[in-house]
Amino acid sequence: MPETFPLDHLECVWEKPDTLTETRFHYCPGCGHGVVHKILMEAVKELGIQGDTIGVAPVGCSVFAYHYMDVDMQEAAHGRAAAVATGIKRVLPEKYVYSYQGDGDLAAIGTAETIHAANRGENILVIFINNAIYGMTGGQMAPTSIIGMKTSTTPEGREIATQGFPFKITELIAMLPGAYYVTRQSVHTPNAVRSFKKAVLKAFQAQKEKRGYCLIEVVSNCPSGWKLTPVDANKWMEENMFPVYPIGDLKVEGKLGERMFTQVTKN
Amino acid sequence: MPETFPLDHLECVWEKPDTLTETRFHYCPGCGHGVVHKILMEAVKELGIQGDTIGVAPVGCSVFAYHYMDVDMQEAAHGRAAAVATGIKRVLPEKYVYSYQGDGDLAAIGTAETIHAANRGENILVIFINNAIYGMTGGQMAPTSIIGMKTSTTPEGREIATQGFPFKITELIAMLPGAYYVTRQSVHTPNAVRSFKKAVLKAFQAQKEKRGYCLIEVVSNCPSGWKLTPVDANKWMEENMFPVYPIGDLKVEGKLGERMFTQVTKN
Amino acid sequence: MASVRGTVKINIQTCKGCELCVEACPQESLKLSKEINAIGYHYAVLVQDNCTGCVNCALVCPDAVITVYRSIKKGGKRELKEPIATITHVSRDIKVSIDTLSQSQQSIGRVDI
Amino acid sequence: MASVRGTVKINIQTCKGCELCVEACPQESLKLSKEINAIGYHYAVLVQDNCTGCVNCALVCPDAVITVYRSIKKGGKRELKEPIATITHVSRDIKVSIDTLSQSQQSIGRVDI
Amino acid sequence: MTHEILFAGFGGQGVLSMGQTLAYAAMTEEKEVSWMPSYGPEMRGGTANCIVIVSNKPISSPIISKFDAVVALNQPSVDKFEKAVKPNGVLIYDSGSVFILPSRTDITVVPVASEFEALKLGNVRVRNMVMLGAFLSVCQVVNVPSVMKGLSEVLPQRYHHLLAVNQQALERGEDLIIEAATPLV
Amino acid sequence: MTHEILFAGFGGQGVLSMGQTLAYAAMTEEKEVSWMPSYGPEMRGGTANCIVIVSNKPISSPIISKFDAVVALNQPSVDKFEKAVKPNGVLIYDSGSVFILPSRTDITVVPVASEFEALKLGNVRVRNMVMLGAFLSVCQVVNVPSVMKGLSEVLPQRYHHLLAVNQQALERGEDLIIEAATPLV
Amino acid sequence: MSETRLMKGNEALAEAAIRAGCKGYFGYPITPQSEVVEYLAEEGRQRGMVVMQVESELAAINMVYGAAGAGARVMTSSSSPGISLMQEGLSYIACAELPCLIVNVNRGGPGLGTIQPSQGDYFQATKGGGHGDYHLIVLAPASVQEMADFVYDGFDIADKYRNPVMILADGALGQMMEKVVFKEYTPAEHIPPKPWATVGKPPTRERNIITSLFIQPEKMETINIGLQAKYQRVRENEIRYELVEADDAEVLLVAYGLSSRICKKVVELARQQGLPVGLLRPITLYPYPYEILQELSERISSVLVVEMNSGQMVEDVRLGINGKVPVGFYGRMGGVIPSAEEVLHKVIEMFDRVELKHVEEEYHA
Amino acid sequence: MSETRLMKGNEALAEAAIRAGCKGYFGYPITPQSEVVEYLAEEGRQRGMVVMQVESELAAINMVYGAAGAGARVMTSSSSPGISLMQEGLSYIACAELPCLIVNVNRGGPGLGTIQPSQGDYFQATKGGGHGDYHLIVLAPASVQEMADFVYDGFDIADKYRNPVMILADGALGQMMEKVVFKEYTPAEHIPPKPWATVGKPPTRERNIITSLFIQPEKMETINIGLQAKYQRVRENEIRYELVEADDAEVLLVAYGLSSRICKKVVELARQQGLPVGLLRPITLYPYPYEILQELSERISSVLVVEMNSGQMVEDVRLGINGKVPVGFYGRMGGVIPSAEEVLHKVIEMFDRVELKHVEEEYHA
Ligand SMILES: Cc1ncc(C[n+]2csc(CCOP(=O)(O)OP(=O)(O)O)c2C)c(N)n1
Ligand SMILES: Cc1ncc(C[n+]2csc(CCOP(=O)(O)OP(=O)(O)O)c2C)c(N)n1
Ligand code: SF4
Ligand code: SF4
Ligand code: SF4
Ligand code: SF4
Ligand code: SF4
Ligand code: SF4
Ligand SMILES: [Mg+2]
Ligand SMILES: [Mg+2]
């Protein structure tokens, strides 16, 4: 197909960043993980920090992130990415260190490591993909699954009485003084993607300036786990997840935003 | 000495509740653990629930709580008291279940279990003794140690840059919808003790009504760990810990109190 | 033909036919093919030559298989060129039924760990 | 002697001499003894007969060694009785130096685990 | 008598449930049976397979590497498992998906246009039942009525309205073999 | 020559540092040495002890149950460790704290009024050094100057102003034995 | 109630747990055993069980501690990495003598490894992956039927000895389907009274305490002596194994779980070739059937241990054989399953050797 | 720099870590090893180390993973329950082949147990408490000097084989003071280049990946074969032990760590009585010195294994002796330390018996 385009008349305005490897993503069609990978690596490229960046992959669908992201990477045990990132950052304080984690990884088994890294103000970036489900293990309930959501371990829908509430760990982290920048994003529309990218750039800048802990939650889809087509999944996400996980900044430059007050008031 | 009192002229207005065993506390002189034990068991006695109450002891100075509290008890692994309490409560939903934990136990190694129990709205009571230090192991830094505090692992005083901020887990828990009643108390003055007792009664009442998770933090002393006399320790506590951990209710009947807004605003 | 200001190149061998680009394109320039590619998906194709090079499709594409081009702006003004988008492999009706789609999705996806 | 409305009984064998009751007593009725008990502490004693039975000392006592009594109120009115508090084992100066105190504290306390 | 069979194809083609159906059918006939799926790395292009063993005595290993019959729904499966057929065994494959044909001469090779026939029945998803019908016609491991019983076990209740078309598919599969066999006479 | 010594008393009486001081002193004299504390359950009424072994050859076990000398600062220690003294060994104890006296006759028993003497020196805390002085006078394991060297190692810098009174205490301890010995002549 | 069903091992195990009167399940998803929690989330909850998917394996095992201490029949299940996270909790449970069931559907390690079947956790299960001198009682099923049966047995043994029991299966046993018959079983007839449980102290008894803390070493030693005495009773009463054509065997295969199934096939194939091969299948991995090995060592001329690991149970076999005859090993690692043919090949080699003195360990390369 | 100091074992170990060029320490307090983190918090920080007291042992071991993967010399230390919490992490570290040092100052278990010295974690350390086929290299010091020396050796061996090394001590070795000489050691001369470390990828090389995930079993098996080959090299090169009066010994004591110190005393006492008793002290517990046992088994008439547990290393001794002579066991549990006298008593019994065929295991009751 390349031949069909007389490319000399055109300038390329978007192409896959070369900070992504050639390997094809193993993700299901339409899965948000791919979009996030792409934008994250685009940011790394734009900032020219490929040679100074070390990533930490979680256990979850993105366990193979290191197959795609062309930076030095470590694969952490389930839930321990924040600890692994801390270990790296403390011995290499001048490098950029990020972890990439799902909701099961970060908000269930990794709760303690996540919160303590934030509380210590570890100078790292955590990318948190909240798809409200355990994608990798076949669609079990996540701490972030919303009320009534059917999963393979909540066949009747998640109910408060026995399974508790969707866990808004991002709100908690925003409360911690060690957290410098905390934001909730999505990547399901072009504008959402643009906004997410700005957030990534901002977070890396903060890390450069040694401002402390940055967390970017991405409310994302899991078409396979949700048993929806990608397009429907994104719709379902807007309609059902955004009310629980409203998009926007929670904390910027160490200051809690409007949103947090609303959160507290609503609670 | 008994003979010296002509007791028949008098009524006894306070005596050690018989829900405490005869065993002498092993705590250091002046240690807040004893006061809390005493009041907790007094409440159990007053409510007449001794036969329906199961306690969970932590690993920390209060590891031997079961030597003193005359109720059925389990000794949990370090940090797992909330999980152990959950296990008990889920199979014995009609019983009163409480855990008793220090700051290392609850806010360091037990962070995840603590937060998830709260988030699930487990119908248990957690008593959280925050003495800002690891008493049992000889005075190391706790997550709640305050800035500048000298401990055996922060000989130069806790500093934000490397050890992070005093961890206000109670504030986080108050944010969780599963938490019904969250309060911060102390037991260093008679009035403080009275207020603490009211809190315990309120929490057991809530548990009876199946309202969900209740947390009572007790800002407490550790004369040995702090290397102060008990009297001086209490003074130090008022002057240095209360500003960081202000006493009062954070959440009552599922509603966040004034204090939380102030917290958020200050942050 | 309308003025073409942009176009896209889609790697149809690795496209997974998720249709998110189709949804995202303000020009309705994209559709899914009737045919399936070697990995079993109905891939995205450009079906109109009205692409503005707005990059939307590329931004949302989870598999990063879309490259976007725009006419080269010379002297501060876009130079409009002949249409260059080629519609390939699309013979009949383009839209496929979700039923078949979701079936093909099963052949790739998450790894259990 | 002043009107005595209450008194306390202190188990001096298990008192750990933390002095918190002394601090808490609004009547300054309590002091630490000069002598040490079998477990090595200067224990608390009632040194004045002005105790009001307010319970403060008992509430703050970490070792629950204080029992508090009040005159029995008959017909809604407190009946005031003769002083019944006994000051025992206190010969000289009562207050002990913190130095000695903190030393004795070392002989009981936390268990390492 | 022990039958050791492998079903292989892409994930989503119904290979696992094809095997399960056979296993249920065999159980209905009071035979010993084991069904062992390849589980896990679906990422690798999504191939899936399962081993079914049917026997009238206890089954030793549920995991074996040589088979009396291999039923293959795609090219990679033929490529990979042709050599796993025992001498004098049977290799059945979907003729519509396989272009590089099997080459062994010491086994019976049976092409079946299962996808094509399923499409004719109006539902591509029953291609596995066409295949199973053909397989049974060649290997007679169990009877078709038992298979129908098995199917009603495998299919979740909400899909029971599809039992009819599945039966048609099974029978179509059986017939195909008979048709194919005819000219050879 | 190997000296196996146990120091025992309440926590807070300085038994552990008494042992450490001796160990340092021995090291200064280029002897082999080991110091093994009882660590842990301080709750049990707060007894503490440590074993010090001083030798001119490598020390095998640092944990032993029979001692050439036991230095006991309180009653429980005498009760517990009297029987741990080797025949012909030495038991030194604080006469002010011990009321039930040791009864063995096959060992040398030395009461020392260490607390009393320490109080006379104006600091009850140096009672351990009085004891150590007495012990050295009886057992001659190391020299007093070495002990002073040891002390300056054991004492944190901020307490070095106390070195003088410690030295006095040591010497007082030594003298006590001489005094005590005199009438016996 | 007994009826034949075709089920996955994981499902059969879950169904048996419900029938065995298991009151609480606490777990965290992990392949290849997630069907256990999924099945229970649907069936178990409907039939009155407390079924909790919790925040981690660490939380799960400690909930098991709490619930078992409260007198309930309870269990958890996981696979290798998740079981590693439970080691502290298991040591606590063993010391506090709490009866419960732990299921490890072993996958290929170490590390994150792979999800394919493995027997790489034998040491962890049998020697104690946690700290201190304790033992799990370890049952190794080799069929879906046993995946179900050992649940009843496991709970009963756990209650009998107040000891945690582990079912050590592997990914294949969890995922494969076979016929399974659920036996008649009335939990009430099997679950003993638990007067030691913390259920709230009536005025008529002293408070109950569940603990593993005994600060004085002498007391802690007494506790340990008690545990060791119990293990001794377990060794005397609970050893189980299966012998296949061992009477006249010259070469004895020793294998458990899935690899024993493969070895049964090997015995069949070998016997077809006239080779006198037999099989010892340990069913309890702790207590280990050392005695029968000693006995057999008088009759056989060599042993081949077959495992899906680098050679773990082979140490126990050597301890049993105690130098009497050579003990060889054949293993595949990291989730690879040995084929009957490759094992047979190895066996034939053993017969071929004139000198059978020493068969070296060998990893497939 | 070499100078003699009198130090606690924990402090000597910490001081040696600083001198060995350890760049990062991540740990959590626990008795009886808290002096390690306390010493480093003061001395280590002042001398430029990253010293972190973190939220748990779980976090600590995973920080070690991260920092080791980033190419730094790093360590953690804990005691029994804390080490159990590290088992998953250790399995990951072993599989990802990251060099680092883990210190277990063993205390009495199981469960919360006691804080007194114990050797109850031998199995966990040597057989693998985590999941899968991996091994730590385990060094067992028996003096404060070795507490220091083995830190250098441990780091060097870890780097040489890219394998985690464990120092398995016990509470007594941690708490006791002895003389220690810190040897001359220039870290730069010992720390090899680590081109595999994730330090940021320059354009000149492919990215570095630290992982333990190999989803395809064939690949996972290859990884395992690589590990096993490495362990083979370790077995060939790193076995260390000490023999005391073993030349003419009839009864051979086998003991490590603290119990070997006691056994040295026993040898002294026995020789005083004219009894030909010797001692084998394994210094590396993995790799285990089986060969020397085999060799000695030709000369001695019986073996007595002495441990501060219920009998763990005794299995390795039996594997080494392989039935040649009887192997007896004497152990104390739960934090109790055997006295030289009681062991001697046992030894005399062995000499007294006419038939030395079979010495039964015995627990002190
Ligand atoms: C200790 C441990 N427990 C459980 C697992 C199994 N496991 C793998 S991924 C995963 C959850 C994945 O969910 P999430 O983090 O939300 O990521 P997603 O797949 O949704 O992107 C689980 C439970 C494991 N590998 N290790
Ligand atoms: C897994 C594990 N890690 C560490 C310890 C050691 N440990 C015992 S108590 C304790 C901390 C106690 O502090 P805290 O919870 O604040 O209670 P406090 O003693 O101050 O009341 C620690 C670290 C342990 N027993 N188990
Ligand atoms: S299972 Fe869900 S999260 Fe995982 S790759 Fe598929 S769609 Fe994405
Ligand atoms: S160490 Fe501190 S917390 Fe522990 S008993 Fe003593 S004073 Fe209380
Ligand atoms: S660049 Fe814009 S206009 Fe062109 S195809 Fe993509 S979304 Fe449509
Ligand atoms: S978004 Fe990408 S993967 Fe999806 S259909 Fe469009 S081009 Fe294909
Ligand atoms: S508060 Fe209690 S323990 Fe403290 S001095 Fe008073 S009586 Fe004694
Ligand atoms: S009861 Fe009140 S007045 Fe009486 S001693 Fe106690 S504090 Fe003082
Ligand atoms: Mg998820
Ligand atoms: Mg504390």
Side-chain angles (χ1 to χ4, degrees), chain B residues 6 11 13-14 27 38 136 229, chain D residues 16 58-59 68 70 111-112:
Chain B
E11 64 177 345
V13 289
W14 200 92
Y27 302 112
K38 182 180 70 179
M136 176 178 247
T229 64
Chain D
K16 289 189 195 134
L59 288 179
V68 184
R70 259 186 237 152
V111 202
D112 279 4

Side-chain angles (χ1 to χ4, degrees), chain G residues 78-330:
Chain G
S78 187
S79 179
S80 309
I83 298 287
S84 288
L85 283 174
M86 297 185 184
Q87 292 307 323
E88 189 203 23
L90 285 174
S91 177
Y92 272 69
I93 287 175
C95 189
E97 300 197 77
L98 298 178
C100 60
L101 186 66
I102 320 294
V103 179
N104 181 0
V105 182
N106 196 338
R107 64 189 225 183
L112 191 47
T114 172
I115 56 177
Q116 299 303 314
S118 164
Q119 301 182 322
D121 303 352
Y122 178 92
F123 274 148
Q124 187 193 53
T126 60
K127 305 290 170 186
H131 58 287
D133 287 294
Y134 74 91
H135 280 290
L136 308 177
I137 298 169
V138 185
L139 300 172
S143 64
V144 172
Q145 183 64 52
E146 287 185 345
M147 289 287 274
D149 290 345
F150 289 3
V151 170
Y152 307 98
D153 297 353
F155 274 124
D156 290 350
I157 295 173
D159 278 336
K160 181 168 170 197
Y161 296 97
R162 285 189 60 185
N163 205 71
V165 169
M166 175 176 275
I167 293 183
L168 183 62
D170 64 65
L173 286 166
Q175 295 297 323
M176 69 191 265
M177 284 182 139
E178 286 185 319
K179 286 203 296 198
V180 53
V181 181
F182 293 98
K183 66 174 175 187
E184 297 289 342
Y185 184 95
T186 313
E189 289 168 11
H190 287 80
I191 305 178
K194 302 185 177 179
W196 45 264
T198 59
V199 294
K201 158 197 151 29
T204 49
R205 66 156 166 83
E206 291 273 285
R207 70 192 180 289
N208 283 334
I209 295 167
I210 305 292
T211 187
S212 66
L213 168 64
F214 304 95
I215 193 82
Q216 291 179 307
E218 297 74 20
K219 176 67 186 155
M220 192 68 218
E221 184 169 60
T222 311
I223 295 294
N224 268 289
I225 289 168
L227 290 177
Q228 294 298 329
K230 173 168 83 175
Y231 302 145
Q232 182 57 34
R233 289 201 308 282
V234 170
R235 282 194 294 266
E236 280 159 17
N237 300 316
E238 303 300 338
I239 288 174
R240 296 204 221 168
Y241 55 85
E242 180 191 354
L243 286 174
V244 179
E245 313 232 21
D247 282 349
D248 63 337
E250 268 177 44
V251 169
L252 181 75
L253 298 172
V254 187
Y256 71 96
L258 184 67
S259 50
S260 74
R261 291 284 291 262
I262 289 151
C263 286
K264 278 194 190 171
K265 182 95 186 177
V266 176
V267 172
E268 281 171 21
L269 297 173
R271 292 276 169 179
Q272 280 165 20
Q273 301 192 19
L275 298 173
V277 174
L279 168 68
L280 167 65
R281 167 167 87 97
I283 293 171
T284 50
L285 302 183
Y286 185 89
Y288 196 79
Y290 294 115
E291 289 74 10
I292 183 70
L293 273 169
Q294 247 172 324
E295 238 180 273
L296 290 169
S297 69
E298 308 291 338
R299 291 187 260 146
I300 56 180
S301 61
S302 66
V303 176
L304 180 67
V305 179
V306 180
E307 297 180 76
M308 281 146 53
N309 61 37
S310 73
Q312 300 191 13
M313 183 181 70
V314 65
E315 291 198 359
D316 278 324
V317 174
R318 293 211 169 104
L319 287 170
I321 294 289
N322 205 19
K324 293 274 169 46
V325 297
V327 176
F329 172 72
Y330 186 75

